[in-house]
Amino acid sequence: EVQLVESGGGLVQPGGSLRLSCAAFGFTFSTFEMTWVRQAPGKGLEWVSYISPNGDIMHYANFVRGRFTVSRDNTQNELYLQMNSLRAEDTAVYHCVKGSWVDFFGQGTLVTVSS
Amino acid sequence: DIQMTQSPSAMSASVGDRVTITCRASQDINIFLGWFQQEPGKVPKRLIYAASTLEGGVPSRFSGSGSGTEFTLTISSLQPEDFATYYCLQHYTYPRTFGQGTKVDIK
């Protein structure tokens, strides 16, 4: 059974940084593309970032490019999202997602950017 | 970026109704479109990918159609568990983009 377990969310001040992690279970992580998707409270889904199976290709939404960095450790079956220069509008639940076609969502971790 | 526009943004329907939701892309995306369902308080779940391929375990009352720039999600006979918000996503190019969502509630 596929499981994606996110962690690392919390309250951070504007301009601060946070690193999200996602532990993957139930599939061969190293062979799959991975994605981050976020959802602000009461709002719709927003695609954030993509990483290729071996981590050599990344893509980002315009609103996070230059501030967020996606990475992965295939030896640990983990996906990461380093978030810098955080803004109030980055407040959202961040979901780790299997596949570049957005196959399966983890439960998410809440990031709150507020002073 | 490709813009995805869903219509309507919200709708009221009754159990047994046929429901149609439209998603339009700002440029040709071939058949690279997915549909997602999000029940209140739950994680989104993919229903359809590649415009018309039903995810395993998804009831056959759900169907998808379209290609190019116009796509449709149809629920042939709305059930109580189908009251939810539906999103489309283009998986043709990067950055991927979602539609703004269509909320289906009870009339």
Side-chain angles (χ1 to χ4, degrees):
Chain A
E1 180 193 0
V2 173
Q3 282 190 70
L4 298 167
V5 181
E6 301 93 336
S7 59
L11 176 63
V12 61
Q13 291 189 336
S17 298
L18 215 52
R19 188 195 196 207
L20 306 183
S21 299
C22 168
F25 305 91
F27 64 102
T28 307
F29 178 74
S30 61
T31 66
F32 278 86
E33 300 164 301
M34 296 295 293
T35 298
W36 286 98
V37 170
R38 73 183 187 184
Q39 186 168 34
K43 302 296 185 182
L45 300 173
E46 285 190 309
W47 183 92
V48 173
S49 182
Y50 156 92
I51 188 166
S52 61
N54 66 4
D56 62 337
I57 299 172
M58 290 84 79
H59 295 287
Y60 299 94
N62 290 336
F63 51 79
V64 302
R65 188 172 292 118
R67 301 187 299 125
F68 290 12
T69 302
V70 61
S71 61
R72 64 193 296 162
D73 183 342
N74 287 342
T75 65
Q76 299 292 320
N77 290 349
E78 291 215 335
L79 176 72
Y80 307 104
L81 187 67
Q82 176 67 44
M83 304 186 296
N84 299 329
S85 304
L86 283 160
R87 306 166 180 166
E89 54 267 34
D90 295 319
T91 294
V93 172
Y94 285 74
H95 295 277
C96 169
V97 180
K98 175 175 168 281
S100 68
W101 287 17
V102 185
D103 310 354
F104 180 87
F105 285 71
Q107 291 295 316
T109 185
L110 176 62
V111 172
T112 304
V113 184
S114 175
S115 53
Chain B
D1 298 1
I2 297 176
Q3 307 303 314
M4 305 301 295
T5 304
Q6 286 180 235
S7 59
S9 296
M11 63 183 299
S12 295
S14 301
V15 172
D17 283 354
R18 181 180 182 87
V19 168
T20 300
I21 299 168
T22 297
C23 184
R24 288 187 174 85
S26 61
Q27 64 187 72
D28 189 337
I29 59 169
N30 199 313
I31 62 164
F32 295 103
L33 183 107
W35 289 100
F36 296 80
Q37 177 194 60
Q38 186 175 30
E39 296 175 63
K42 293 193 176 180
V43 171
K45 168 189 165 185
R46 191 172 68 173
L47 301 174
I48 286 167
Y49 59 94
S52 61
T53 303
L54 213 60
E55 195 71 41
V58 173
S60 59
R61 63 181 180 273
F62 290 94
S63 64
S65 64
S67 66
T69 62
E70 188 154 335
F71 302 84
T72 299
L73 172 70
T74 300
I75 309 171
S76 60
S77 178
L78 198 67
Q79 297 302 300
E81 60 268 31
D82 302 337
F83 291 97
T85 301
Y86 295 85
Y87 296 91
C88 62
L89 167 78
Q90 64 84 10
H91 49 82
Y92 175 75
T93 191
Y94 295 101
R96 305 289 199 230
T97 39
F98 285 94
Q100 80 278 15
T102 296
K103 184 175 182 180
V104 178
D105 63 18
I106 302 172
K107 184 183 287 184

